[in-house]
Amino acid sequence: MIRVRLDLAYDGTEFAGWARQRSGLRTVQQTLEEALTAILRLPEPAQLTVAGRTDAGVHAAGQVAHFDLPEGVWVAHQEKLLRRLAGKLPMDVRVYRAEPAPEGFDARFAATSRRYIYRVCDSKEGTLPTRRGFVLWHNRALDLDLLNEASRLVLGEHDFAAYCKKREGATTIRRLLDVHWERTRHDEVEATVEADAFCHSMVRALVAALLMAGDGRCAPEFPAEVLASKERHPTVNVLAPHGLTLEEVRYPSAEELAARVLETRQMRVLGC
């Protein structure tokens, strides 16, 4: 058997998220697994493991997944796999790299960080029609200095229960490595959010709190105060998914992959 790494991108608008669902809703995982199974003529359906399970409507420019298959099948199809996937897959998902993964690679557990971008338009005229599928319209002017001041106060390792939808048996402790804002167009700002991992709805809830500081409704300390409370705040909503894109997943060197997998699988507690 050989493990194959896939690098892919998708427009999440018409997908019910990454993960295959029993309800039969259209998902990225199901779409890609069915295409791989057909192209490679596998006797059993392909089984993908992904770096980050994006929610319904969230986009990806740098998603990573892996799957295992017999080495002979890979040798027979590797040269034409990307072209055949391009012909088989719908236009809203594309695989742009497929290659054997180094020993110990795991798309999910070997990742050291995931980097997202949330795009916001703060023009009083609203978002350009050509960008409305990827940019949230925020009907208030945003101050970059306030946004970045509030962002600095939430960096580091914390229990992000106040910004997450809790799951039974799962920790909400995460290490936030980078949060910063920049104005990329006269009418748009971008939040870059990078962490070792994210829990469900964390980026969209955190950015919502930061926007409240950035438009002057709350003090710059407000997002950090919510974080410290470890409780959902009634004024902090989860933002719409279409402004969010998974931009990059980072991995350690090949020599460090196995150690990273072991570290990630351990239940985390603050200070460890």
Side-chain angles (χ1 to χ4, degrees):
M1 301 293 287
I2 188 170
R3 176 156 293 183
V4 178
R5 169 176 168 166
L6 301 179
D7 292 72
L8 62 144
Y10 45 87
D11 176 344
T13 305
E14 301 298 328
F15 286 108
W18 163 268
R20 180 186 287 271
Q21 298 187 20
R22 294 179 181 177
S23 60
L25 292 174
R26 183 174 185 257
T27 68
V28 182
Q29 181 181 14
Q30 179 178 355
T31 301
L32 187 51
E33 285 179 345
E34 289 177 353
L36 287 167
T37 302
I39 290 169
L40 299 174
R41 300 176 184 177
L42 299 176
E44 299 291 335
Q47 305 259 335
L48 288 170
T49 297
V50 73
R53 294 186 175 188
T54 50
D55 294 335
V58 175
H59 315 295
Q63 181 68 279
V64 180
H66 79 251
F67 70 111
D68 300 327
L69 77 166
E71 186 173 2
V73 176
W74 169 250
V75 171
H77 292 274
Q78 61 176 322
E79 295 297 331
K80 298 179 180 179
L81 181 58
L82 290 182
R83 184 181 297 275
R84 287 175 175 170
L85 281 170
K88 184 75 172 176
L89 289 168
M91 296 299 291
D92 51 1
V93 56
R94 279 292 175 269
V95 177
Y96 54 88
R97 184 178 299 115
E99 58 188 19
E103 184 176 353
F105 179 81
D106 185 293
R108 177 185 175 188
F109 290 108
T112 55
S113 70
R114 288 91 171 158
R115 179 171 62 87
Y116 283 86
I117 286 181
Y118 199 101
R119 296 178 171 89
V120 182
C121 169
D122 65 344
S123 168
K124 62 183 178 181
E125 296 86 9
T127 311
L128 285 174
T130 53
R131 297 182 63 74
R132 63 187 175 87
F134 303 90
V135 181
L136 176 79
W137 181 40
H138 186 74
N139 191 20
R140 296 172 183 264
L142 292 166
D143 185 302
L144 277 183
D145 290 335
L146 292 176
L147 288 168
N148 282 312
E149 182 181 352
S151 298
R152 284 191 291 271
L153 298 176
V154 297
L155 290 174
E157 186 173 65
H158 308 281
D159 186 339
F160 282 88
Y163 292 111
C164 295
K165 291 183 179 179
K166 297 180 182 179
R167 291 187 301 137
E168 187 71 27
T171 180
T172 50
I173 297 171
R174 299 290 187 269
R175 183 177 293 111
L176 202 52
L177 303 169
D178 181 30
V179 185
H180 72 270
W181 295 76
E182 55 187 330
R183 188 167 290 278
T184 53
R185 297 164 50 97
H186 73 281
D187 60 347
E188 284 183 21
V189 295
E190 288 185 0
T192 295
V193 185
E194 183 175 358
D196 56 355
F198 291 93
C199 39
H200 189 212
S201 79
M202 176 176 159
V203 178
R204 291 189 283 146
L206 178 60
V207 171
L210 295 172
L211 288 177
M212 294 172 69
D215 64 22
R217 283 179 290 164
C218 297
E221 295 79 14
F222 172 72
E225 291 169 354
V226 172
L227 175 63
S229 75
K230 300 181 184 179
E231 297 289 340
R232 298 299 291 263
H233 195 281
T235 64
V236 178
N237 298 314
V238 177
L239 295 178
H242 68 275
L244 185 62
T245 301
L246 173 59
E247 291 285 329
E248 182 184 16
V249 183
R250 301 181 194 269
Y251 294 93
S253 65
E255 295 76 19
E256 300 172 307
L257 286 171
R260 176 59 186 170
V261 169
L262 286 174
E263 178 185 355
T264 305
R265 287 183 178 274
Q266 295 175 354
M267 179 63 77
R268 207 181 327 192
V269 295
L270 282 175
C272 296

